[in-house]
Amino acid sequence: MKIDLNEMLYAVSAGFDAVEHELLGVRKGHCKRIAALSITLGKAYGLSPDELIDLAAFSILHDNALTQVNQEEIEYKKYNNGEGYSQRDFNVRRCILGESNTKYMPFRTNNRDVILLHHENADGSGPQGRTHDRTPIKAQIIHIADTLDNTFDLTTASRDTYGAIIYFVKSNAGTLFSREIADCFCKSIKAKHLNNITLTNIDNYLKKATKHFNDEYSPQEVFNLATLIAMIIDFKSHYTCKHSSGVAVNCRRMAEHYKFPEEKTIRYYLAGALHDVGKLMIPNEILQKPERLSDAEYEQMKQHAYYTYEILKNLNKSMQDITVWASHHHEKLNGSGYPFGLKEDQLSMEERLMTCCDIYQALTEERAYKAGFPHEKAISIMRDMVIKGEIDNNIVFNMDMVCGDKSWDRSIPTSILT
């Protein structure tokens, strides 16, 4: 399957930013600004085009384990009288898990320890005690970009901000940043470069800053990518920690049943993994609520499907089918669904199937307010939805036959989680 990996990561970065804003207080566009600053500095440092492409990808993924570690800390508090991780331990865990999550991703160059060490300081005072001479240059570049974006408001351009940044970098040369990286930054980053990373200019800059390739990825590589993104989404809430992965597996199984071509099956699996990416934009106080939502909270929760559309519509035209399949997973045949209120004649078989895969997974998994239903009960509920005119009878009939086959392993395919 052909994918422009960085384009996909740029698209879903809005969701990653929402998580970091909620948990760490970062500003909108954080991941993209780190990517843009890193690319500019990487070019000045002499990194190759392939290294720059990977540097941009790792900039977007630098905190890919944040939702995972947040859930880990919630569990930790239960057994430690409400005491959470120390700041150091929290940072170490998100770097260790983030490194592990990306080690099987299809990148172009050697990226070992880039995420693992991107919080390290030049003098060894960082969370893992690594000095600059033991830290990969890509990690150092991401570290300075991340530090600056957390320290200064870079959402708008300002000469005063530029002067403060240069002073800050020079003042912390040899402590936070290696003198080599600090010198390279001060010589290569000019006031005009800040204009490239404002909210209005960042997307255009990233389109031009590095080459873009629609590379051919193997099924396993796509599964790895899909599983990573699904994991980031699912760990947003303890109550949905396997939902996106489960929907993706349901999609794959049903696609195989309907004899989709191999490429379409892979694309459909990816759409299943991405269908709830909009939930990254929903506050934890709603996602983590241990009882049924109020009407107002439910209306806010429903916005996630529209957010999925808003995030994925930025993918290129060759992936618009994935955008449609993923973002229409709450549409109903009688027009009672959301976010667009589409009706039967506006919904393809693939869109109808995605809705059913999502419903089946939600019914059979445990939630805060219910145990997971057995297959027979889930299908019974779905048949009632058929009677109401909400979902497709033929698809429910086939899901009863296919998903009820106990000989089939519904686990996630071999991937980064094994």
Side-chain angles (χ1 to χ4, degrees):
M1 176 179 172
K2 288 187 176 182
I3 297 175
D4 184 332
L5 180 59
N6 280 20
E7 181 191 66
M8 176 174 287
L9 293 177
Y10 291 153
V12 300
S13 71
F16 300 166
D17 282 348
V19 172
E20 289 203 66
H21 172 73
E22 183 174 14
L23 298 179
L24 304 177
V26 305
R27 299 175 183 87
K28 182 180 179 181
H30 173 67
C31 289
K32 288 181 179 178
R33 283 193 300 278
I34 294 177
L37 278 173
S38 295
I39 290 168
T40 304
L41 185 55
K43 285 181 177 179
Y45 194 82
L47 297 187
S48 70
D50 281 352
E51 287 175 317
L52 291 172
I53 291 171
D54 283 358
L55 178 62
F58 273 79
S59 297
I60 300 296
L61 291 169
H62 72 284
D63 252 344
N64 72 81
L66 186 57
T67 56
Q68 192 175 356
V69 176
N70 185 56
Q71 289 303 321
E72 188 178 87
E73 184 177 37
I74 290 171
E75 291 299 307
Y76 180 86
K77 288 179 179 179
K78 291 179 181 179
Y79 302 101
N80 290 275
N81 299 316
E83 287 289 326
Y85 289 148
S86 67
Q87 188 63 56
R88 177 190 175 279
D89 288 343
F90 189 88
N91 287 337
V92 169
R93 287 299 295 161
R94 71 198 229 219
C95 289
I96 290 173
L97 292 177
E99 176 79 16
S100 178
N101 291 344
T102 57
K103 65 183 179 181
Y104 294 117
M105 296 293 288
F107 296 116
R108 294 169 173 270
T109 60
N110 177 21
N111 297 288
R112 181 178 175 181
D113 293 347
V114 171
I115 288 181
L116 178 68
L117 301 177
H118 82 277
H119 278 300
E120 297 306 293
N121 295 329
D123 63 358
S125 62
Q128 298 178 74
R130 292 288 192 99
T131 51
H132 69 90
D133 55 313
R134 299 172 60 215
T135 303
I137 194 63
K138 290 177 193 168
Q140 294 188 51
I141 290 173
I142 292 173
H143 173 53
I144 192 171
D146 188 28
T147 301
L148 293 176
D149 195 63
N150 284 320
T151 305
F152 300 93
D153 183 357
L154 303 181
T155 58
T156 57
S158 164
R159 285 195 170 273
D160 289 340
T161 301
Y162 173 74
I165 288 172
I166 295 299
Y167 178 79
F168 179 83
V169 171
K170 288 181 176 179
S171 298
N172 287 283
T175 52
L176 294 183
F177 320 121
S178 71
R179 297 191 183 281
E180 181 182 28
I181 283 292
D183 288 345
C184 183
F185 183 94
C186 292
K187 289 177 181 177
S188 61
I189 304 295
K190 307 300 180 184
K192 64 179 182 181
H193 292 124
L194 294 187
N195 192 56
N196 293 332
I197 62 175
T198 61
L199 290 175
T200 54
N201 295 336
I202 186 75
D203 289 334
N204 188 53
Y205 174 76
L206 289 174
K207 285 179 182 178
K208 299 176 179 179
T210 61
K211 293 182 179 179
H212 288 259
F213 297 95
N214 272 330
D215 289 327
E216 187 71 38
Y217 293 108
S218 70
Q220 188 61 61
E221 288 173 330
V222 178
F223 289 149
N224 289 345
L225 172 62
T227 304
L228 171 60
I229 296 175
M231 184 171 63
I232 294 169
I233 298 166
D234 289 348
F235 272 111
K236 185 73 160 64
S237 168
H238 167 74
Y239 302 118
T240 58
C241 64
K242 294 182 180 179
H243 179 72
S244 297
S245 298
V247 171
V249 172
N250 291 338
C251 287
R252 177 172 172 243
R253 181 78 196 282
M254 294 307 297
E256 290 171 351
H257 169 75
Y258 285 117
K259 301 188 186 307
F260 287 2
E262 182 183 34
E263 164 107 0
K264 185 175 179 180
T265 296
I266 297 168
R267 296 172 75 85
Y268 204 62
Y269 179 93
L270 181 56
L274 290 167
H275 82 284
D276 264 353
V277 67
K279 280 189 177 176
L280 294 175
M281 314 290 282
I282 303 298
N284 271 354
E285 62 186 20
I286 291 179
L287 288 177
Q288 300 274 34
K289 188 175 180 179
E291 59 264 348
R292 288 189 180 274
L293 301 177
S294 68
D295 290 346
E297 289 168 336
Y298 182 61
E299 287 302 312
Q300 190 171 357
M301 173 68 87
K302 285 167 61 176
Q303 290 295 312
H304 80 271
Y306 180 73
Y307 292 143
T308 291
Y309 169 75
E310 281 293 302
I311 289 169
L312 298 184
K313 74 177 184 181
N314 295 309
L315 299 176
N316 65 36
K317 291 182 179 180
S318 69
M319 300 187 76
Q320 287 308 297
D321 54 353
I322 291 173
T323 300
V324 170
W325 298 337
S327 59
H328 293 174
H329 68 278
H330 279 297
E331 301 293 343
K332 301 289 174 54
L333 301 183
N334 60 6
S336 64
Y338 57 88
F340 302 114
L342 302 177
K343 294 186 177 181
E344 181 175 358
D345 60 351
Q346 299 170 294
L347 295 168
S348 67
M349 179 269 183
E350 293 84 359
E351 291 162 81
R352 301 177 189 201
L353 178 59
M354 183 65 71
T355 296
C356 290
C357 288
D358 179 55
I359 292 169
Y360 182 83
Q361 182 63 26
L363 290 171
T364 55
E365 67 190 12
E366 182 180 359
R367 292 290 174 91
Y369 50 85
K370 74 170 185 68
F373 293 129
H375 169 79
E376 293 76 14
K377 176 65 173 176
I379 293 297
S380 175
I381 293 172
M382 292 176 74
R383 284 179 178 143
D384 288 342
M385 297 177 72
V386 169
I387 293 171
K388 294 176 183 177
E390 295 178 340
I391 57 178
D392 191 300
N393 181 55
N394 291 330
I395 291 175
V396 174
F397 175 84
N398 283 292
M399 289 194 75
D400 184 17
M401 177 175 56
V402 174
C403 297
D405 180 1
K406 304 302 182 183
S407 67
W408 181 71
D409 179 8
R410 293 180 69 235
S411 63
I412 300 169
T414 303
S415 69
I416 57 174
L417 298 187
T418 60

